[in-house]
């Protein structure tokens, strides 16, 4: 009896299930039925795998460093577009004329002084640029056929956040005596503009500076034409620098020249009769820069930085290690860097003038030397390849 009741119960269950299935098939379209048929079973392996949470990447030190550098690179060109219009093109082509100047003044402790300077160099050549990278070649039109050994390399890189000046100079043999003060009783103008090949100077170094108000003030607008300053603005500057100086003087040749021109009436101080001076300079600088937008698409830029420079001769560096007991305020001198420029830029075409001047001072008990060098650039260019 129990067996008969169990069979009847199973039969009713199967019949009810079949009825429900037929009703669902009647209500659902064919595509939906197919989707239901292909759907994975709730307990299938695929369903279990998809339900597993995604693996979280570990916050390793390398990822943190990567995020830091990514943010730093974005800050390089982060600007306030109310003050600065960004570059709209990828490439630029420019023609530039560069005129370089340098001067060295030597002074003894008794007041005698001689100033040497070569003839200015005049160069011209094309440049091409892609965003930050700017390359070009200039030909010295005043020394095309000469064997002058002068070498010059000046490279300045500007971003919104910081800038850097790299320079290397090795003078040639075309120096002249430009000015002198060898006494008060004699007229020494006869020495002026006299050629003198007995002096040679080399200098290499860099200046790195941070632009405080970099979101509103643009150095590139004034000196690399990669942005446009639309509203006048200024900024404080802070930097560090390092230079190596080498000054070689043929004191015998200088003494012979002075005796020849002045008939032996002047005795040069011993402070002017050295043969070689070599020193290294470490500096901390501070200054201010201002971009003045005086008309639409026009900009006048000026900046001045003064540096406290600690200078030690190579002889001191080579023969003993530095300690704070060796420090002397007498080895601190004041150097300076000045930058000026006028530019017209409508984002497509641009033209202008810029100049950079460096001044270095070195003072010892027997003599003093001042070195000034710089360049003046005139340029005209066009931007091409508009950014998408």
């Amino acid at each position: 009896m129990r067996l008969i009741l169990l069979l009847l119960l199973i039969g009713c269950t199967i019949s009810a299930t079949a009825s429900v299935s037929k009703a669902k098939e009647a209500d659902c379209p064919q595509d939906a039925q197919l989707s239901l048929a292909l759907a994975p079973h709730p307990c299938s392996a695929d369903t279990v795998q998809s339900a597993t949470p995604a693996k979280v990447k570990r916050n390793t030190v390398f990822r943190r460093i990567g995020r830091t550098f990514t943010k730093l690179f974005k800050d390089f060109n982060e600007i306030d577009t109310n003050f600065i219009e960004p570059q709209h093109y990828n490439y630029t082509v420019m023609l530039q004329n560069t005129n370089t100047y340098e001067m060295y003044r030597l002074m003894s402790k008794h007041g005698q002084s001689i100033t040497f300077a070569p003839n200015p160099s005049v160069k011209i050549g094309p440049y091409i640029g892609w965003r930050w990278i700017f390359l070009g070649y200039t030909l010295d039109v005043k020394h095309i056929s000469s064997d002058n050994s002068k070498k010059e390399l000046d490279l300045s890189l500007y971003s919104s956040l910081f800038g850097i000046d790299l320079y290397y100079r090795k003078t040639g043999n075309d120096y002249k005596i430009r000015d002198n003060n060898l006494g008060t009783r004699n007229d020494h103008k006869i020495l002026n503009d006299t050629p003198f090949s007995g002096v040679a100077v080399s200098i290499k170094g860099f200046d790195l500076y941070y632009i405080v108000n970099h979101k509103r003030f643009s150095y590139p607008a004034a000196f690399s034409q990669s942005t446009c300053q639309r509203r006048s603005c200024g900024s404080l500057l802070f930097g560090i620098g390092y230079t190596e100086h080498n000054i070689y003087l043929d004191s015998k040749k200088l003494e012979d020249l002075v005796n020849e021109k002045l008939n032996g009436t002047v005795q040069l101080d011993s402070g002017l009769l050295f043969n070689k001076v070599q020193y290294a300079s470490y500096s901390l600088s501070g200054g201010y820069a201002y971009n003045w937008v005086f008309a639409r698409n026009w900009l006048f830029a000026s900046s001045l930085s003064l540096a406290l420079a600690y200078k030690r001769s190579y002889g001191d560096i080579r023969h003993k290690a530095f300690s704070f007991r060796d420090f002397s305020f007498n080895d601190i001198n004041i150097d300076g860097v000045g930058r000026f420029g006028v530019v017209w830029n409508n984002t497509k075409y641009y033209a202008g003038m810029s100049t950079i001047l460096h001044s270095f001072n070195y003072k010892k008990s027997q003599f003093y030397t001042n070195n000034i060098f710089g360049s003046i650039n005139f340029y005209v260019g066009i931007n091409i390849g508009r950014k998408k």
Side-chain angles (χ1 to χ4, degrees):
M1 185 66 177
R2 292 181 179 178
L3 180 59
I4 294 172
L5 291 175
L6 181 59
L7 291 175
L8 290 174
L9 180 59
I10 292 174
C12 292
T13 303
I14 292 174
S15 177
T17 303
S19 300
V20 173
S21 298
K22 288 180 179 179
K24 287 183 178 180
E25 288 175 2
D27 295 336
C28 296
Q30 184 177 1
D31 291 342
Q33 297 174 22
L34 180 60
S35 299
L36 290 171
L38 295 178
H41 191 277
C43 294
S44 66
D46 293 337
T47 305
V48 173
Q49 183 176 1
S50 62
T52 304
K55 186 177 181 181
V56 179
K57 293 182 178 180
R58 296 180 59 188
N59 188 22
T60 64
V61 64
F62 297 104
R63 288 196 176 93
R64 291 197 296 269
I65 293 175
R67 288 195 297 269
T68 301
F69 275 99
T70 299
K71 184 180 183 301
L72 182 62
F73 289 138
K74 289 181 179 179
D75 288 341
F76 282 174
N77 288 309
E78 186 179 358
I79 57 176
D80 183 344
T81 54
N82 294 317
F83 285 80
I84 303 171
E85 184 174 354
Q87 175 65 283
H88 301 300
Y89 298 85
N90 288 313
Y91 307 97
T92 185
V93 179
M94 182 180 75
L95 182 66
Q96 178 170 291
N97 162 238
T98 300
N99 306 272
T100 61
Y101 174 81
E102 56 188 302
M103 180 274 291
Y104 294 88
R105 182 169 182 254
L106 307 178
M107 178 184 291
S108 71
K109 66 178 181 179
H110 297 298
Q112 287 188 342
S113 65
I114 299 180
T115 301
F116 301 97
N119 293 323
S121 297
V122 180
K123 301 179 179 181
I124 189 169
Y127 284 78
I128 58 174
W130 176 75
R131 298 188 180 182
W132 278 24
I133 302 173
F134 209 80
L135 302 174
Y137 176 80
T138 56
L139 179 66
D140 190 343
V141 297
K142 298 186 67 174
H143 301 95
I144 294 178
S145 58
S146 69
D147 58 352
N148 198 309
S149 59
K150 180 181 295 186
K151 297 179 181 178
E152 299 177 8
L153 173 63
D154 295 285
L155 176 63
S156 296
L157 303 174
Y158 302 100
S159 73
S160 298
L161 187 64
F162 75 94
I164 183 170
D165 294 328
L166 302 171
Y167 44 85
Y168 169 75
R169 286 175 176 252
K170 183 178 180 181
T171 63
N173 52 13
D174 58 345
Y175 274 93
K176 293 181 179 180
I177 297 177
R178 300 297 183 180
D179 193 17
N180 71 92
N181 181 14
L182 301 179
T184 58
R185 297 182 179 179
N186 299 296
D187 183 3
H188 302 139
K189 292 183 179 180
I190 192 173
L191 277 174
N192 291 350
D193 294 326
T194 301
F196 181 69
S197 60
V199 62
V201 181
S202 68
I203 180 174
K204 58 184 177 182
F206 73 89
D207 293 313
L208 176 66
Y209 44 92
Y210 171 73
I211 302 163
V212 177
N213 191 19
H214 56 272
K215 293 183 180 180
R216 296 184 174 184
F217 170 84
S218 176
Y219 248 142
F223 298 104
S224 64
Q225 302 82 50
S226 57
T227 60
C228 293
Q229 187 86 43
R230 291 309 184 192
R231 295 174 61 183
S232 300
C233 192
S235 176
L236 292 172
L237 310 173
F238 297 100
I240 59 174
Y242 174 78
T243 55
E244 293 181 10
H245 299 253
N246 296 272
I247 305 174
Y248 302 92
L249 178 68
D250 190 332
S251 58
K252 181 65 168 58
K253 182 178 289 188
L254 177 62
E255 197 169 24
D256 291 343
L257 177 63
V258 171
N259 288 332
E260 176 187 350
K261 293 290 185 178
L262 301 180
N263 299 317
T265 59
V266 172
Q267 180 69 35
L268 291 178
D269 291 342
S270 60
L272 296 178
L273 299 178
F274 62 89
N275 291 319
K276 181 173 65 174
V277 174
Q278 296 177 287
Y279 65 92
S281 174
Y282 312 84
S283 63
L284 295 175
S285 64
Y288 188 78
Y290 191 78
N291 282 349
W292 176 34
V293 181
F294 59 91
R296 179 173 174 79
N297 298 328
W298 282 94
L299 172 67
F300 174 77
S302 63
S303 72
L304 178 64
S305 294
L306 297 179
L308 290 178
Y310 183 71
K311 301 177 180 182
R312 304 192 71 214
S313 68
Y314 285 154
D316 295 336
I317 296 174
R318 289 173 180 171
H319 291 103
K320 62 180 181 178
F322 172 76
S323 68
F324 284 102
R325 289 179 297 179
D326 301 322
F327 177 82
S328 171
F329 282 101
N330 293 328
D331 293 329
I332 293 181
N333 298 269
I334 297 179
D335 297 336
V337 180
R339 297 178 180 86
F340 308 92
V342 178
V343 59
W344 173 85
N345 189 347
N346 70 351
T347 72
K348 176 65 174 180
Y349 303 96
Y350 58 89
M353 179 275 293
S354 65
T355 181
I356 302 177
L357 296 173
H358 299 263
S359 176
F360 299 97
N361 300 284
Y362 181 67
K363 186 176 182 179
K364 284 294 185 181
S365 59
Q366 295 296 320
F367 79 102
Y368 163 84
T369 177
N370 169 246
N371 165 218
I372 296 175
F373 74 85
S375 60
I376 302 177
N377 304 310
F378 298 91
Y379 54 85
V380 58
I382 180 174
N383 294 313
I384 56 178
R386 190 174 183 87
K387 295 179 180 179
K388 295 181 179 181

